[in-house]
Amino acid sequence: MATVATCGGDAVGVGSAVATASKSNVTSFQRRGPRVSGTNDSGPRLVSITGTRPSVRNGQLLVSTGLPALDQLLGGGLAVGTVLLIEEDKYNIYSSLLFKYFLAEGIVNGHTLLVASANEDPANILQQIRPVSSSRFGHYYDASKRIPQELIEASKWHGFFLPEKISPTLKVEPCSLTHGYIKLLQFIQNIIYEEGFDGSNPQKKQKNILRIGIQNLGSPLWGDDICCTENGDSGHNLTKFLYVLRGLLRTSLSACIITMPTHLIQNKAFIAHVTNLSDTVVGLESFIGSERETNPLYKDYHGLIHIRQIPRLNNLVCDESDVKDLGFKLKRKLFTIEWVQDNYLRQERNIYPPGFSYLLKQKDSAWGEGSLQHSTFLMSFLAKGMGFPFFQLKLLLKDGFVLIKKGMLRDDSLRCSHSAI
Amino acid sequence: MFPELNNLLNTTPDRAEQGKLTLLCDAKTDGSFLVHHFLSFYLKANCKVCFVALIQSFSHYNIVGQKLGVNLTMARERGQLVFLEGLKSAVDVFFQAQEKPHPLQFLREASAGNLKPLFEFVRDALKPVDSGAAGWTYPVLLVDDLSVLLSLGLGAVAVLDFIHYCRATVCWELKGNVVVLVHDSGDVEDEENDILLNGLSHQSHLILRAEGLATGFCRDVHGQLRILWRRPSQSTSQRDQSLTYQYKIQDRSVSFFAKGMSPAVL
């Protein structure tokens, strides 16, 4: 992408070390020194953009999503020029929280914001963002403090509130996209061009990131019928919108978060299309109102977080996390994401008391996932309970194959390696 | 290109077959490494390549291509590579009305369009230049990927028509090759995608299918590759040959091994 060439060169000056804060606001991306001492002294001094850092894998420029835990799962952060799609949880509680974290991170770093919503005035959304105060690496939201008005006014932001932009009596001629989507794309393109985020305007040397947040995309309030009918989106409005939006992002210094109520979309093939057209896709599943709320396995968690897709940008491989079963919980100050392992262990120990040998069939895990990871992990844990340093795992696979894995427990046996046949 | 994959396919850039349609498909995993392989393979074979890249930007393919030993910028400058960057062109065609038909003209149309402008773009890109001074061996069309066209509102029939026209021009008339990537939606009911996939499978000479493992994610084995050689023109008495390998993608290459022979297990 264009961004890497201009901004990724000065990797030396950017670090994510634990803060000894020289500024009052501390983010998870902290520069080591106030000035950048680039490795190439011959060229003009490049100023690195606040709140960004190059990826350790390929120097791709990354911004924080506002949640250090999520950054880690996404391979360091969100790449500039890409889309983060959040599949909303059922009551849009946690997804709107992630949305606000993303914007709050932008305010703290002095990024320009663009907030688009069809049901809530962007000014109200920004008012709800709690201030960031932290004493260590991470973000804390102090519920008792209000965000100072000056901070909002000092930050540059643009709001797109759909009812203000289109009048209901407007005569709409048939065109390729829903009217609301067209207006939003024109608005975004205008901001990118006017403020020089795409580098096309030689007068405006923009060295800042544009953070775009679009709420509830695809909901009926945007004039889209994809959530209402089974064969909705016959005009493919949403997919075309995503495609053109990604084209705009790829050629500018911007990052976008979109929340989408996918639980309302009945056409599963459509969700697959949307996933393919997005870069990073994260799904949230909250336990509120579901049978899992009373399940003792999940009693410490508020929901599950699924990392559905991580892009392979400028690379053949991507930083996929080994752990696929992640739960999140929201305590008063902290939104944490953890591998849901402890409860799993307790549950499994009840099912498989030690001292016996077990032939595990593929789907015997309490999660019903059937992943080899669970089975291997389970056996090593049980062996540990029995006090034997060795374990042998026999797994009955399809086509009559049997996997026999013998291993010796290590201290990190909870993450012992595994392979498939 | 990946030397191990060349060995499995029994080809080298010097003696590749011509006039073939290769279908790449992926199910529950990312098959884009195959696209990078064929792009670098045909550039090294000194072919004139027309790359319709609908899903990623030019710099993405360029950076990966450099890891595989080809320089896309230079190839484009000397005319060997004609690159249609879908994302950038979509912005152009969407915000400004075009005088002449743009390859991605269907984005502006409300009802389902057709891919005639895109075919004309491909045909103009690959038609042999009269001077003949360049000396490219044969033309190749590479599309990444066709499922995007379905997502953007085109019907499976329109896409199949486009591939048919491309095959007639590139494979039969110009004795070149066509390589396309299609996503397999798997158990999700996507009728249009299934029509496209079945239709293309029927016409292809070589099918490379990258699948995720049935047992789930694994750090040492990223997936399974099924290679199917087909002879669509000949009678069905001769059985199609099929091989299956597992693979692991590394930073600059992909290693292939027989099922169960991953170095992590042995």
Side-chain angles (χ1 to χ4, degrees):
Chain A
M1 293 172 214
T3 56
V4 177
T6 53
C7 313
D10 45 341
V12 172
V14 180
S16 60
V18 174
T20 48
S22 53
K23 312 175 257 201
S24 55
N25 286 329
V26 174
T27 76
S28 59
F29 293 160
Q30 167 107 13
R31 278 188 286 184
R32 273 209 196 99
R35 278 206 189 80
V36 173
S37 55
T39 47
N40 48 339
D41 296 321
S42 56
R45 193 171 60 188
L46 292 172
V47 180
S48 72
I49 308 177
T50 342
T52 66
R53 71 172 173 189
S55 151
V56 291
R57 187 177 273 284
N58 55 4
Q60 179 77 46
L61 202 62
L62 302 175
V63 292
S64 170
T65 54
L67 261 184
L70 188 59
D71 289 338
Q72 215 171 347
L73 291 168
L74 299 182
L78 185 66
V80 171
T82 63
V83 165
L84 168 64
L85 178 73
I86 309 253
E87 295 182 0
E88 289 177 14
D89 53 303
K90 203 164 161 197
Y91 301 104
N92 195 19
I93 299 173
Y94 301 103
S95 41
S96 67
L97 208 57
L98 289 189
F99 187 79
K100 288 178 192 132
Y101 286 1
F102 185 83
L103 298 176
E105 180 74 20
I107 294 181
V108 163
N109 285 309
H111 295 161
T112 309
L113 301 182
L114 197 163
V115 186
S117 174
N119 57 331
E120 205 174 350
D121 197 340
N124 286 344
I125 297 175
L126 289 176
Q127 292 282 354
Q128 291 163 24
I129 292 177
R130 303 298 184 199
V132 175
S133 63
S134 82
S135 55
R136 61 188 180 104
F137 189 73
H139 280 272
Y140 292 91
Y141 282 81
D142 199 338
S144 54
K145 296 205 192 102
R146 277 248 113 193
I147 193 165
Q149 190 67 21
E150 311 85 58
L151 197 57
I152 298 187
E153 280 162 13
S155 64
K156 287 205 64 184
W157 63 277
H158 306 274
F160 181 95
F161 187 35
L162 189 67
E164 281 173 9
K165 299 288 179 181
I166 58 171
S167 68
T169 55
L170 194 66
K171 175 174 63 72
V172 178
E173 61 276 355
C175 48
S176 60
L177 232 61
T178 316
H179 200 63
Y181 291 159
I182 296 180
K183 282 280 181 190
L184 178 55
L185 280 174
Q186 285 167 345
F187 184 77
I188 294 175
Q189 195 236 8
N190 204 34
I191 301 285
I192 289 179
Y193 178 68
E194 290 290 317
E195 307 212 351
F197 286 105
D198 57 355
S200 62
N201 201 338
Q203 271 83 36
K204 303 203 172 148
K205 284 269 186 238
Q206 184 61 261
K207 285 296 174 188
N208 203 357
I209 301 283
L210 174 67
R211 282 185 183 241
I212 305 173
I214 307 176
Q215 224 184 19
N216 304 125
L217 191 66
S219 78
L221 290 169
W222 282 100
D224 200 344
D225 63 350
I226 185 61
C227 294
C228 312
T229 66
E230 188 164 341
N231 291 324
D233 202 43
S234 49
H236 293 87
N237 296 302
L238 189 50
T239 45
K240 283 184 188 170
F241 170 84
L242 274 178
Y243 194 73
V244 178
L245 175 69
R246 235 166 119 240
L248 281 174
L249 293 177
R250 281 292 196 273
T251 50
S252 62
L253 280 176
S254 50
C256 179
I257 188 172
I258 300 179
T259 68
M260 192 180 289
T262 48
H263 55 95
L264 295 175
I265 299 176
Q266 292 156 31
N267 187 356
K268 299 300 169 199
F270 179 80
I271 300 179
H273 284 155
V274 165
T275 305
N276 287 334
L277 288 174
S278 314
D279 297 299
T280 314
V281 182
V282 170
L284 290 175
E285 181 190 338
S286 89
F287 294 149
I288 299 175
S290 82
E291 44 144 19
R292 289 177 164 180
E293 205 172 2
T294 50
N295 189 336
L297 199 67
Y298 299 113
K299 68 173 167 55
D300 289 335
Y301 298 95
H302 289 123
L304 297 178
I305 185 164
H306 307 280
I307 311 285
R308 303 225 194 264
Q309 180 171 278
I310 296 181
R312 292 163 194 247
L313 294 168
N314 302 333
N315 230 318
L316 286 171
V317 291
C318 62
D319 281 316
E320 229 176 317
S321 153
D322 279 354
V323 177
K324 302 292 175 189
D325 308 304
L326 299 159
F328 66 86
K329 53 188 165 192
L330 180 68
K331 290 200 198 122
R332 195 165 47 91
K333 282 188 177 182
L334 203 51
F335 187 105
T336 51
I337 302 176
E338 286 174 12
W339 186 21
V340 189
Q341 45 165 314
D342 294 332
N343 292 332
Y344 167 71
L345 297 181
R346 250 175 271 151
Q347 178 90 344
E348 294 292 345
R349 215 206 274 265
N350 292 332
I351 302 175
Y352 299 106
F356 297 92
S357 66
Y358 296 96
L359 181 65
L360 281 180
K361 287 201 225 133
Q362 200 175 345
K363 296 256 177 198
D364 257 345
S365 151
W367 292 77
E369 292 257 357
S371 151
L372 195 60
Q373 180 182 6
H374 296 109
S375 313
T376 316
F377 164 70
L378 163 68
M379 290 312 292
S380 67
F381 168 73
L382 293 173
K384 206 171 181 182
M386 287 189 281
F388 284 96
F390 297 101
F391 71 92
Q392 178 171 339
L393 164 67
K394 262 193 206 166
L395 198 64
L396 187 68
L397 301 172
K398 283 199 268 193
D399 300 333
F401 278 103
V402 177
L403 166 69
I404 299 177
K405 183 167 174 60
K406 298 181 190 166
M408 201 165 94
L409 292 174
R410 308 188 302 250
D411 285 329
D412 56 344
S413 63
L414 296 182
R415 286 177 176 266
C416 68
S417 66
H418 56 276
S419 51
I421 284 187
Chain B
M1 61 175 189
F2 309 126
E4 288 189 37
L5 186 54
N6 283 345
N7 292 339
L8 296 181
L9 295 175
N10 209 15
T11 59
T12 60
D14 309 319
R15 46 176 194 86
E17 290 184 315
Q18 290 178 238
K20 302 289 177 207
L21 169 64
T22 303
L23 173 66
L24 312 172
C25 94
D26 57 17
K28 288 200 208 150
T29 188
D30 191 346
S32 56
F33 69 97
L34 295 169
V35 175
H36 294 297
H37 164 81
F38 280 103
L39 178 61
S40 53
F41 179 90
Y42 284 119
L43 283 176
K44 284 191 180 167
N46 217 21
C47 301
K48 177 131 195 223
V49 178
C50 174
F51 189 8
V52 178
L54 297 172
I55 203 70
Q56 295 287 5
S57 59
F58 176 78
S59 55
H60 165 80
Y61 295 102
N62 194 17
I63 293 176
V64 181
Q66 277 168 9
K67 295 188 183 186
L68 301 184
V70 288
N71 190 332
L72 295 190
T73 322
M74 280 190 50
R76 191 162 64 165
E77 273 167 23
R78 62 172 185 254
Q80 189 189 7
L81 173 67
V82 177
F83 197 97
L84 175 64
E85 194 170 344
L87 290 171
K88 206 164 71 151
S89 312
V91 174
D92 294 333
V93 76
F94 186 77
F95 288 107
Q96 294 146 15
Q98 308 281 316
E99 312 86 36
K100 48 183 173 58
H102 190 273
L104 300 183
Q105 191 66 28
F106 60 89
L107 279 175
R108 287 189 72 87
E109 287 156 21
S111 55
N114 63 21
L115 285 166
K116 194 150 166 286
L118 186 60
F119 164 69
E120 280 162 7
F121 171 83
V122 169
R123 189 190 55 199
D124 294 337
L126 289 180
K127 69 172 180 235
V129 182
D130 291 328
S131 61
W136 311 120
T137 45
Y138 51 89
V140 171
L141 168 66
L142 191 53
V143 183
D144 180 20
D145 56 57
L146 286 181
S147 300
V148 170
L149 295 174
L150 291 181
S151 314
L152 294 175
L154 292 158
V157 177
V159 180
L160 283 171
D161 286 343
F162 165 71
I163 293 294
H164 180 81
Y165 272 81
C166 288
R167 266 189 70 204
T169 311
V170 177
C171 291
W172 187 80
E173 193 184 318
L174 300 174
K175 307 281 185 292
N177 287 340
V178 175
V179 181
V180 295
L181 174 72
V182 179
H183 295 301
D184 187 359
S185 47
D187 41 0
V188 175
E189 288 291 323
D190 191 349
E191 210 181 298
E192 293 279 303
N193 204 31
D194 290 338
I195 294 175
L196 176 64
L197 195 56
N198 289 335
L200 284 178
S201 306
H202 223 60
Q203 303 173 29
S204 313
H205 298 91
L206 174 64
I207 303 178
L208 294 176
R209 199 180 147 86
E211 301 165 343
L213 294 174
T215 44
F217 171 72
C218 177
R219 216 174 347 159
D220 300 307
V221 177
H222 290 155
Q224 189 162 284
L225 183 70
R226 251 189 243 272
I227 308 174
L228 180 63
W229 284 272
R230 296 193 69 248
R231 310 273 184 268
S233 49
Q234 292 175 3
S235 64
T236 53
S237 59
Q238 183 184 9
R239 285 191 62 187
D240 300 333
Q241 188 193 4
S242 158
L243 290 173
T244 308
Y245 295 95
Q246 292 181 338
Y247 62 86
K248 176 175 180 179
I249 305 178
Q250 282 133 1
D251 191 42
R252 283 174 187 265
S253 66
V254 178
S255 59
F256 293 87
F257 35 87
K259 275 190 188 191
M261 301 301 227
S262 160
V265 179
L266 299 174

